[in-house]
Amino acid sequence: MSAVEAAPRVDSRGNRGSAAWMVVPALVLLIGFFALPYLTIITMSLREASTRAVYGDGFTLAHYTTALGDFYIWGILGRTLLIGATVTVISLLLGYPVAYHLAKSRSRWTSLLYIFVLSPLLVGLVVRTFAWMIILSNNGVANQALKAAGLIDFPLQLMNNSLGVTIALTHVFLPFIILPLLGNLQAISPDLAMASRSLGASRMRTFWKVTLPLSMPGIQAGTILVFVLSISAYVTPAMLGGTGGRTMSVLVVQYLVDNFRWPAGAALAIIMAAVAVIFVGLYLRLTARAMRRLP
Amino acid sequence: MKLTRREFAVGMTTAIASMTLPRLAAAQSPLVVPTYGGLWAKFWEEKLLPGLTAATGIQPQLDVGLGKDFVAKIRAGGGRSPYSIFMGNENIAAVLRAEGFFEPFDLAKVPNAAKTFPQFVNKDAKGIRAIVSPIGLAYRTDLVKTAPTSWHDLWDNPEFKGKTGLYQIGNTGAVLFLRLVAELFGSGPDDFDTAFAKIKELLPFTQASWSGEVATALIRGDAIIAPVDWTEIMTLQDKGAPVAIVAPKEGVLAFEQSFNLVATGAEKDAAHAYLNYILDAKVQQDMAKAFYTSPSNSESSVDDAMKARTPIVGPRMAEIKSYDWDSYVDKAADIADRWNREMA
């Protein structure tokens, strides 16, 4: 190492390694906001249950074995993942054309479109969900409109089930897929599409063979974001899910807050987190493999 | 990695300060008073706390949240609770009591307890149910032909089939209803098998997490009848909604706000003074006017206008069904779990 390279690492007293301090904030953040909370939850999940104390004296795996052997909890877990996957797919199908249009648009109204895209995030979550209750309830706007049009005689069950949760979550999380996609699509050089067209490819073929493959990183980032946010959402499933659309987050909160069962609730939270990590890991592997195969 | 003396001194000072300052802050902290949001927080901020300060010199700090949030904070506080006094529904207070977080009040320091209707003072002063919000049967006046008079009407009146609203089990209202149904149809308030069987007969019903959601279901017409507290229905009536509420002939339920002395709290004398102020006849009367509770002080003045809107006052407070929650604590989690699985 030359004297010039070494210079910033040596202070006026000749002490090396001051630069190592720069790692400290990140380390503190990781330990304080990630490692310690997880460690606390894992420890809590291994505590024995008690109705005469916050938790019992000993340690046990019973909360995990009980939960994993319970079909009711498996059912809720499956429903949560299904809602997450459905919201992700619908968000992608709705969000991609919007992101594509915004990326290509040269209109002076583009900024207005940005505001429309971000609009779901500009209203409080509870207010937004309450609005969906007014729309989706048995006597809500949607059912009234369908009745007035003569399409139904009896109200459709649009909330207190997975359908209501899926609709509202799609609305809430749409911007989270549009924004990463938009950044990705804007970064793709227009020359590539032009080259494809000049070589005789149709617009559709150019999209399928050039634009879509190149936007895979944006699709990957956006879909992971929406999936993870959907399966961990609490307010919307709690307000719109009822008993028929109960998700793992709602169940965990019920255990922790309503029933004061901290150890069992912590075990459910860890199971949920583990399942999310497995699914995201698998998805990352699959999409990474697909991206490697791209031309 | 080597530390200079200056870096070491700064680091140590920061570490010591971060460990010491919370202790100093805790030592100097005033009485922290928990209450609920909405009308409650407004009343506490505008009337109750200024009144308390004027009467006692205590300058409390308000903490707005839900009873279950207060439970979590006391549990997480371990040996140093952020509160010296707890307020929450009696069934929730019973959980913390069972876990040893509370100690009895010294009633000599709470003279107004002697004027409180005796049914609201727990045995051995282990909690006082100081604020009472009765729960009756609320219904849509424009959609119901035969107004209810009995809890049995929920089962017997065909108008209500599929049009009933109930609290979900996370709310005290559901637990109270469960015990009422056990008492009405079974061998007593602990006959949960009978209660579950009878409530299942009401399916499908709308389930709501809190009173505001029950009110919304009534306004939307998703439910045309529901057990709900007077506070909610009087507030809806004030806004012109076509709703009414009756006291069924078998008696009413009530959200009973249980005040408890936290064993690990630092401001116990102030906590006693605060509870005494809450129990004051005039304060109870003001609360009833502000959000339609029923005064728990037997000396509170109740005029005809108040009686017309909130009839469960004075001698009629005896119609409130109060349950013992000590033994329920051991079953609460299983019952909640059972409700979630069966009431879908």
Side-chain angles (χ1 to χ4, degrees):
Chain A
M1 187 185 284
S2 71
V4 176
E5 280 174 312
R9 298 176 61 84
V10 181
D11 66 16
S12 57
R13 296 177 187 206
N15 291 324
R16 287 167 183 274
S18 296
W21 282 96
M22 295 177 77
V23 184
V24 173
L27 211 62
V28 168
L29 205 74
L30 260 178
I31 293 172
F33 291 96
F34 185 78
L36 281 179
Y38 258 99
L39 207 64
T40 310
I41 297 173
I42 290 169
T43 311
M44 180 61 75
S45 72
L46 297 170
R47 291 283 192 176
E48 279 182 353
S50 171
T51 55
R52 299 288 143 175
V54 178
Y55 45 77
D57 294 331
F59 288 89
T60 177
L61 283 170
H63 307 302
Y64 287 98
T65 51
T66 307
L68 293 173
D70 190 336
F71 287 117
Y72 172 74
I73 288 172
W74 277 108
I76 290 181
L77 187 60
R79 180 191 294 143
T80 308
L81 295 171
L82 187 65
I83 288 174
T86 313
V87 170
T88 307
V89 171
I90 297 174
S91 298
L92 179 62
L93 293 175
L94 295 176
Y96 199 100
V98 177
Y100 187 84
H101 177 75
L102 278 171
K104 303 292 170 198
S105 175
R106 297 286 172 268
S107 162
R108 60 197 172 101
W109 298 106
T110 309
S111 51
L112 196 68
L113 286 174
Y114 273 97
I115 294 173
F116 281 141
V117 167
L118 291 172
S119 64
L121 304 177
L122 302 177
V123 185
L125 187 54
V126 174
V127 177
R128 245 177 298 164
T129 312
F130 224 84
W132 276 113
M133 284 171 82
I134 292 167
I135 294 169
L136 300 176
S137 72
N138 281 359
N139 286 311
V141 178
N143 271 313
Q144 297 282 9
L146 290 169
K147 252 189 205 171
L151 295 172
I152 54 169
D153 293 324
F154 299 99
L156 299 175
Q157 188 72 36
L158 300 175
M159 58 177 269
N160 293 326
N161 53 25
S162 299
L163 177 65
V165 178
T166 305
I167 293 171
L169 285 181
T170 305
H171 167 238
V172 172
F173 294 138
L174 205 51
F176 290 89
I177 202 158
I178 292 176
L179 297 176
L181 264 172
L182 181 59
N184 186 250
L185 286 165
Q186 280 172 333
I188 299 171
S189 168
D191 296 345
L192 295 169
M194 283 167 67
S196 166
R197 296 295 309 280
S198 68
L199 289 170
S202 66
R203 275 177 188 275
M204 200 50 111
R205 191 169 166 79
T206 300
F207 174 76
W208 284 110
K209 293 289 179 185
V210 179
T211 312
L212 186 65
L214 288 173
S215 62
M216 273 306 283
I219 292 175
Q220 188 195 51
T223 46
I224 288 176
L225 209 57
V226 170
F227 179 73
V228 171
L229 288 171
S230 300
I231 60 172
S232 59
Y234 170 71
V235 174
T236 305
M239 289 176 73
L240 287 170
T243 48
R246 185 174 290 133
T247 60
M248 278 299 278
S249 317
V250 175
L251 193 68
V252 168
V253 172
Q254 272 184 355
Y255 269 59
L256 294 173
V257 180
D258 292 345
N259 305 339
F260 311 111
R261 295 167 72 181
W262 285 10
L268 284 184
I270 294 294
I271 290 172
M272 182 64 215
V275 169
V277 166
I278 291 169
F279 269 75
V280 171
L282 280 173
Y283 180 73
L284 273 172
R285 251 183 111 165
L286 285 172
T287 47
R289 195 179 293 169
M291 279 193 280
R292 274 199 300 274
R293 283 187 196 153
L294 293 177
Chain B
M1 183 164 61
K2 251 185 176 177
L3 287 180
T4 64
R5 272 198 299 272
R6 187 181 294 168
E7 284 165 345
F8 179 75
V10 169
M12 285 307 287
T13 309
T14 310
I16 292 167
S18 65
M19 284 187 288
T20 316
L21 285 177
R23 283 172 192 272
L24 288 174
Q28 293 166 358
S29 65
L31 175 73
V32 180
V33 170
T35 195
Y36 305 134
L39 288 172
W40 291 61
K42 190 169 181 277
F43 181 79
W44 255 249
E45 275 169 11
E46 292 175 0
K47 202 146 192 172
L48 197 138
L49 295 190
L52 173 71
T53 304
T56 64
I58 296 167
Q59 292 193 315
Q61 187 186 317
L62 190 64
D63 186 24
V64 177
L66 299 171
K68 286 162 185 172
D69 301 338
F70 309 146
V71 171
K73 286 180 189 173
I74 289 174
R75 279 174 135 202
R80 197 190 300 154
S81 163
Y83 310 114
S84 296
I85 193 156
F86 169 85
M87 181 184 89
N89 284 302
E90 176 60 18
N91 63 317
I92 293 171
V95 173
L96 283 177
R97 200 175 296 130
E99 292 176 359
F101 282 101
F102 297 154
E103 63 184 42
F105 282 109
D106 178 356
L107 290 185
K109 293 179 183 172
V110 191
N112 282 327
K115 300 169 193 166
T116 303
F117 289 105
Q119 75 201 77
F120 301 119
V121 180
N122 289 358
K123 197 179 164 213
D124 301 326
K126 290 177 180 170
I128 295 180
R129 310 173 191 197
I131 304 174
V132 181
S133 313
I135 297 171
L137 267 176
Y139 63 98
R140 280 282 295 259
T141 50
D142 55 338
L143 299 176
V144 170
K145 288 181 194 139
T146 314
T149 56
S150 158
W151 292 105
H152 287 274
D153 290 339
L154 289 174
W155 285 264
D156 300 340
N157 186 342
E159 278 186 84
F160 304 146
K161 185 70 189 164
K163 289 280 184 185
T164 300
L166 292 179
Y167 290 101
Q168 60 99 340
I169 197 66
N171 188 293
T172 296
V175 186
L176 285 164
F177 184 67
L178 193 71
R179 301 199 76 179
L180 170 79
V181 175
E183 192 183 348
L184 289 177
F185 294 97
S187 55
D190 288 331
D191 187 353
F192 297 109
D193 287 336
T194 304
F196 270 98
K198 289 305 292 184
I199 294 174
K200 278 164 88 171
E201 289 176 15
L202 298 179
L203 282 168
F205 49 75
T206 302
Q207 293 194 47
S209 301
W210 68 92
S211 296
E213 222 178 294
V214 181
T216 310
L218 282 170
I219 293 304
R220 288 196 311 249
D222 290 344
I224 59 171
I225 189 162
V228 68
D229 53 292
W230 253 266
T231 303
E232 203 60 44
I233 296 307
M234 292 301 105
T235 312
L236 283 184
Q237 281 184 350
D238 290 343
K239 292 174 185 166
V243 287
I245 181 166
V246 294
K249 60 187 178 194
E250 298 89 353
V252 296
L253 300 168
F255 290 118
E256 298 167 323
Q257 299 311 315
S258 178
F259 285 70
N260 291 266
L261 190 63
V262 182
T264 52
E267 300 286 333
K268 290 182 187 169
D269 281 341
H272 279 90
Y274 170 64
L275 173 61
N276 191 53
Y277 187 72
I278 291 269
L279 291 171
D280 179 78
K282 176 75 172 58
V283 172
Q284 286 286 326
Q285 208 176 304
D286 289 344
M287 255 185 239
K289 279 183 189 157
F291 43 90
Y292 307 104
T293 51
S294 295
S296 60
N297 189 314
S298 57
E299 293 181 2
S300 293
S301 141
V302 179
D303 58 28
D304 289 342
M306 189 190 284
K307 272 186 205 165
R309 300 205 73 190
T310 50
I312 307 299
V313 286
R316 290 196 68 182
M317 294 288 267
E319 292 177 30
I320 294 172
K321 289 179 174 292
S322 293
Y323 297 108
D324 175 55
W325 299 98
D326 289 348
S327 59
Y328 181 81
V329 166
D330 296 321
K331 304 166 199 155
D334 291 335
I335 287 171
D337 214 29
R338 183 173 174 185
W339 179 286
N340 286 333
R341 288 163 197 255
E342 295 185 19
M343 302 300 175

